Every structure is written in C-alpha cells, then in structure tokens.
C-alpha cells in the first residue's frame, strides 16, 4: 500500500471538486441570494483541505493495483462530508450535520433519498447544487478525474475499474483509459443537453429544465419541487422524462458503439437491453392492470402506472403520485423491480440487468442438465461464450448482495425500532440507489434517527460502488499486502 500517493490522489480529487461550489455561488449572485458566503466558505475549506493533502506529496506519481479501492472509498466519504458544508451552514435549511451529510451522500450516490422539505421556497442556488451533486455522481466524478490525470502524472485505470458499475470492468471503449473516460463524458453531456432542451420545449422553465436534466440523466431523482414531477402535471414533460430515464438506464458503452457506428439497431441486438426493456414492459403492464382493477381517485392507471414503473425500475425515483398508497402489491412489485435496476455501465442502480440475465440463463442451463445429464450447454451472451469465472463472480456478487441486504434490514429494524416494511424499503431504496421507499420513508427520511441515517449512508455507498469495493477494505488481507 502506498499511502503517500493515495493521499495525494485524494487531495487532487478534492481540489478539483472544490471548484464545483463556484457554480451555485454564481447562480446565487445572479438571483441576488444570500448563499454566496455559504458556498464561498465551502469552496475555501474544500480547496484548502485538498491542497493540504496534495502539495506535500506532489512528487509521488505511481498509483499501483489495489490502491484504487481505498482512494475511491476515501473520496466518496470525503466528498459526502465536504459536500455537506453548504447544506449545513445555510440558515434557510437549518439541518443538523447528519442530515446535511445524508443529503449530500444521497445526491453524490444518485440515491435521491431526501430529508429536506419545502423545496419550492429554497434559494435556487441550493436547489441547483443538489441537482449538480447528482449529475457529478451519475457517471462518477472519478471517471471525470481519470480523464485529466495524465496531465498530473497519475494513471487512472485502477480508479475507473473500482468506480464504474457492472460485472465487466476491464473492457475499455478506446485503447487509452483517458479517451474512454472522455468518450463516456461526451455521451453523458450530450444526453444532458438533449434532455434539458426537451424539457424546455415541453414547458419547463430554463432553470427547471437544466436542473431536472441533471437528475434525469444521472438517474438520481432529486427535484426542485416537493411534488417532484407531479408539480408540472404535464404529459409532455413526463414523456420526456420517461424517454431519458430509459436511455440513461442503458449501458453507456453501448451508446458509444451506436454513436460511433451510426446504427441504432445495436440496441436491439444486445441481450441485456432486450431483457431490460422486457422486464420494464411486463412490470408496467402488471402495475397498470392493478390500478385499472382497483381504481383510485385522481390516479390515471396508464399514465401514472407507466411513469412510476419506469421511474422506479430504472432507480430514478421521480414521482407523479404517492405510489406508496396504491394497492400494496403494486409498490412492492415496483420496489422489487428496482432490485434488478438498469443495465451494467449505466447510471442506474440495482443488481444490474446483465447479472439478472446471467442468473436466469444459468438456472435454465441447470434445468437442461437435469433433463440431459450428459449434455454440454455453453452459456452465451450476445452469441459469445461466458467464462465460468464470470458466472462465479455474478453468483458471488448476488450472494453477498442478499446477505448484506438482510443484515442491513435487521440492523436498521433493531437500531431504529422500525417496522419491517419501512426497514425493508429504506435499505432496499438506499442499496439500489433508488430513493423513495414505503412506510415511514414514503415521502422523506427526515423522521429517522441519526444512527439509522449514517447506516443508510453507508448502504448508499455500498450500492453505488457495488459492494465489493468497500468490502475489500474490511478484510485484513487488504491491509497486510
């Protein structure tokens, strides 16, 4: 382990992040808000801390295998804490540090769980800052930093592999990791711009269009209004949201392939995408049928059922209605759909659809083996054979995921004295980076105890970094190497 280079890289990342406070500061200045000093203080503290870690160790340039795990964890913890500074010091919010850290970590991990109410009355600079946190966390600010690390003399492949979501992290879109990171961000930025323009044409104000494009493409779910997407009550706006939520739940590497070859047919040729769309379609049909069979005043079975299915299944978390009040089977089904999540390499949370697909294919192969004990049935994805090592990795991830989930539910019920539905949905929503839950966390997480909130923050990080990145740090073998 090379603590000098680890602290130096962490300091570099914090220094880079400190400049993001200048954007909401300028917005506050433009709207004549009294948040300029708040963001100025956050900028100064974060910049000074980053430089304090970076400057004394700037001669160290070598980043070796395994160091990326600790750097990623330190950075997410650091960013969550430093990102809480403007939320904590702003008088209009009056948050405890625990609540400020919860909101910051929820934004950074694109979870979307909130402890803040009265969004419609908050300064626009604070609202924009929450959206910006999600946008930066969506593709991973570490991947952005990787793109400029060569200028600092630091290799970034280890960081990219530990931060990027999905079971296959060794495949690069381009020969150089820097170019890979840039390609991902160009696509991410292009989708954001297109989403913002579509929202504006659909009737949103410029501020709301930009803000919601950040959380839509990041699959974060933060809104500038308490009623979320229900505030606009617009079929056009909801349609835009559904399209871009679905697009953002697709592997960004596949987006790159389609863009480079100018052939959208590649989307339908991909097994994971077909499974992703099929699952969402089936769940949407079931939810719409439930709402149609048990009508609720003010609820449109097709419009609200379809929107909430796409929003929850992609782990975005936007709402048009309080779906927790629907017939219980519907919200539970939606929450279970969020466990599958989007595609690997997307901004979505959850187990990832490719793992679900591989588990299904492996299950079907075992059924065939029972019928034909001497048969040989290779497992293939997109006509390519899947190695046994990858299958083992998927099963290992799934097993650990379930164990961690059950442990967290038990701990939250014990520490917070919560009922099973609340604990189950809160942990599920945080581990899957979804946001909205059921029971006591249906609207927000404000009523939970401070201890439970810290536990859920850790759960958010586990979900965002796909469990193993953090669990590696808890093993004695890692620290003995």
């Amino acid at each position: 382990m090379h603590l000098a280079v680890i602290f130096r890289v962490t300091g570099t990342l914090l220094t880079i992040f400190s400049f993001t406070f200048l954007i909401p500061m300028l917005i506050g200045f433009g709207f004549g808000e009294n948040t300029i000093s708040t963001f100025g203080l956050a900028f100064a503290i974060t910049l000074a801390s980053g430089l304090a870690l970076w400057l004394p160790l700037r001669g160290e340039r070598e980043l070796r295998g395994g160091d990326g795990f600790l750097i990623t964890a330190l950075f997410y913890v650091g960013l969550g804490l430093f990102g809480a500074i403007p939320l904590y010091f702003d008088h209009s919010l009056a948050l405890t540090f625990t609540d400020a850290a919860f909101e910051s970590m929820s934004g950074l991990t694109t979870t979307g769980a909130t402890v803040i109410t009265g969004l419609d009355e908050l300064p626009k600079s604070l609202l924009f800052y929450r959206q910006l946190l999600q946008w930066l966390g969506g593709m991973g600010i570490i991947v952005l930093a990787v793109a400029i690390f060569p200028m600092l003399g630091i290799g970034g492949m280890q960081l990219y592999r530990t931060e990027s979501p999905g079971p296959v992290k060794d495949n690069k879109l381009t020969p150089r990791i820097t170019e890979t990171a840039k390609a991902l961000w160009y696509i991410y930025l292009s989708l954001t711009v297109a989403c913002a323009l579509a929202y504006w044409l659909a009737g949103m104000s410029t501020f709301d269009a930009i803000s919601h494009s950040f959380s839509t493409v990041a699959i974060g779910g933060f809104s500038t209004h308490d009623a979320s997407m229900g505030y606009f009550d617009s079929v056009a706006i909801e349609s835009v949201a559904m399209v871009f939520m679905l697009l953002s739940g697709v592997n960004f590497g596949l987006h790159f392939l389609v863009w480079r070859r100018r052939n959208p047919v590649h989307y339908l040729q991909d097994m994971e995408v077909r499974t992703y769309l099929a699952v969402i379609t089936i769940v949407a049909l079931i939810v719409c049928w439930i709402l149609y069979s048990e009508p609720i005043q003010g609820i449109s079975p097709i419009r609200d059922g379809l929107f909430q299915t796409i929003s929850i299944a992609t782990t975005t978390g936007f709402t048009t209605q309080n779906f927790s009040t629907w017939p219980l089977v519907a919200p539970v089904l939606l929450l279970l759909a969020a466990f599958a999540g989007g595609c690997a390499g997307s901004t979505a949370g959850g187990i990832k659809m490719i793992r679900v697909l591989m588990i299904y294919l492996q299950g079907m192969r075992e059924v065939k083996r029972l019928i034909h004990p001497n048969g040989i049935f290779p497992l293939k994805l997109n006509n390519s054979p899947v190695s046994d090592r990858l299958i083992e990795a998927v099963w290992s991830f799934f097993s650990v995921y379930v164990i961690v989930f059950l442990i967290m539910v038990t701990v939250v019920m014990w520490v917070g004295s919560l009922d099973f539905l609340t604990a189950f949905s809160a942990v599920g929503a945080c581990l899957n980076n979804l946001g909205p839950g059921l029971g006591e966390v249906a609207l927000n997480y404000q009523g939970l105890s401070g201890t439970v909130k810290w536990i859920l923050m850790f759960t958010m990080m586990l979900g965002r970094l796909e469990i193993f990145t953090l669990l590696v740090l808890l093993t004695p073998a890692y620290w003995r190497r």
Side-chain angles (χ1 to χ4, degrees):
M1 185 178 302
H2 306 82
L3 290 178
V5 69
I6 288 172
F7 286 133
R8 185 201 169 203
V9 174
T10 303
T12 303
L13 291 168
L14 278 177
T15 301
I16 294 171
F17 174 71
S18 67
F19 289 94
T20 62
F21 292 117
L22 299 180
I23 302 174
M25 185 190 299
L26 291 174
I27 292 176
F29 178 78
F31 284 97
E33 298 169 347
N34 60 354
T35 57
I36 298 175
S37 59
T38 302
F39 286 107
L41 178 63
F43 168 72
I45 293 175
T46 307
L47 179 62
S49 300
L51 292 176
L53 287 173
W54 175 61
L55 288 175
L57 305 169
R58 61 187 181 278
E60 291 284 345
R61 293 176 178 270
E62 187 178 5
L63 181 63
R64 298 183 181 179
D67 292 341
F69 293 107
L70 184 55
I71 291 173
T72 303
L74 286 175
F75 183 64
Y76 267 86
V77 171
L79 190 57
L81 297 178
F82 282 94
I85 294 175
L87 301 174
Y88 176 65
F89 283 106
D90 187 82
H91 298 295
S92 61
L93 292 174
L95 298 177
T96 64
F97 184 75
T98 295
D99 283 346
F102 185 92
E103 195 77 14
S104 175
M105 187 65 73
S106 178
L108 171 68
T109 58
T110 70
T111 302
T114 185
V115 293
I116 299 176
T117 57
L119 294 174
D120 299 83
E121 287 77 41
L122 289 182
K124 292 188 181 298
S125 53
L126 280 175
L127 294 174
F128 185 84
Y129 173 66
R130 291 172 74 246
Q131 308 298 113
L132 182 62
L133 272 180
Q134 289 206 322
W135 190 74
L136 293 173
M139 180 59 69
I141 193 172
I142 292 179
V143 177
L144 173 64
V146 164
I148 65 171
F149 267 177
M151 295 184 292
L152 305 173
I154 300 172
M157 188 60 189
Q158 296 89 345
L159 294 183
Y160 175 74
R161 291 178 61 191
T162 55
E163 199 282 335
S164 57
V168 184
K169 300 184 180 183
D170 291 322
N171 296 335
K172 294 185 285 186
L173 308 180
T174 61
R176 295 170 61 90
I177 184 60
T178 304
E179 297 303 319
T180 297
K182 287 180 179 178
L184 290 172
W185 270 93
Y186 287 149
I187 295 169
Y188 191 60
L189 181 60
S190 299
L191 273 177
T192 305
V193 172
C195 183
L197 182 60
Y199 274 140
W200 181 74
L201 291 174
M204 279 191 183
S205 66
T206 302
F207 177 80
D208 276 341
I210 295 174
S211 297
H212 284 85
S213 70
F214 283 1
S215 54
T216 302
V217 177
I219 302 194
F222 273 167
S223 176
T224 55
H225 304 280
D226 286 322
S228 189
M229 284 295 180
Y231 171 85
F232 302 100
D233 192 20
S234 167
V235 174
I237 289 175
E238 292 165 20
S239 299
V240 170
M242 287 189 286
V243 169
F244 281 93
M245 285 189 290
L246 286 172
L247 286 174
S248 300
V250 173
N251 190 324
F252 274 67
L254 186 58
H255 286 317
F256 177 81
L257 180 66
V258 170
W259 172 78
R260 186 172 61 180
R261 297 184 179 178
R262 305 293 194 273
N263 188 1
V265 174
H266 289 296
Y267 286 124
L268 297 180
Q269 292 176 340
D270 187 88
M271 284 184 68
E272 184 185 21
V273 173
R274 294 202 303 269
T275 304
Y276 164 70
L277 295 176
V279 168
I280 290 179
T281 300
I282 293 171
V283 173
L285 289 173
I286 295 174
V287 170
C288 291
W289 179 79
I290 292 171
L291 294 178
Y292 180 79
S293 301
E294 302 181 44
I296 303 173
Q297 186 175 3
I299 302 294
S300 171
I302 296 178
R303 176 181 170 184
D304 293 317
L306 182 60
F307 182 88
Q308 287 305 151
T309 298
I310 294 175
S311 177
I312 303 302
T314 59
T315 74
T316 308
F318 284 138
T319 58
T320 54
Q321 302 285 344
N322 182 5
F323 69 94
S324 67
T325 62
W326 293 358
L328 189 58
V329 64
V332 170
L333 177 61
L334 291 176
L335 191 61
L336 292 177
F339 276 82
C343 300
S346 71
T347 55
I351 295 173
K352 299 296 185 298
M353 199 59 70
I354 192 169
R355 291 192 179 100
V356 175
L357 176 59
M358 289 177 66
I359 290 172
Y360 169 77
L361 293 176
Q362 172 66 5
M364 291 298 100
R365 181 166 71 170
E366 291 304 315
V367 171
K368 292 178 182 177
R369 283 175 173 172
L370 290 174
I371 300 173
H372 306 285
N374 298 322
I376 298 176
F377 306 99
L379 199 64
K380 291 186 177 182
L381 278 176
N382 298 321
N383 297 320
S384 298
V386 178
S387 68
D388 291 338
R389 177 68 187 90
L390 188 56
I391 296 172
E392 291 173 3
V394 169
W395 275 111
S396 298
F397 177 87
F398 180 75
S399 302
V400 173
Y401 187 95
V402 172
I403 292 171
V404 167
F405 173 74
L406 294 176
I407 290 174
M408 287 297 183
V409 170
T410 304
V411 171
V412 166
M413 288 180 67
W414 176 38
V415 174
S417 299
L418 300 175
D419 62 271
F420 177 76
L421 182 63
T422 298
F424 180 91
S425 64
V427 173
C430 290
L431 188 61
N432 295 318
N433 303 129
L434 167 63
L438 306 175
E440 295 179 29
V441 294
L443 299 178
N444 59 66
Y445 289 67
Q446 196 175 64
L448 301 182
S449 68
T451 304
V452 171
K453 288 173 184 174
W454 284 106
I455 294 172
L456 292 179
M457 278 187 263
F458 179 68
T459 306
M460 293 175 196
M461 285 187 60
L462 281 173
R464 182 65 182 95
L465 300 179
E466 302 215 324
I467 297 179
F468 281 115
T469 299
L470 286 185
L471 292 187
V472 163
L473 301 179
L474 301 179
T475 60
Y478 177 82
W479 299 97
R480 286 198 303 263
R481 67 187 181 87

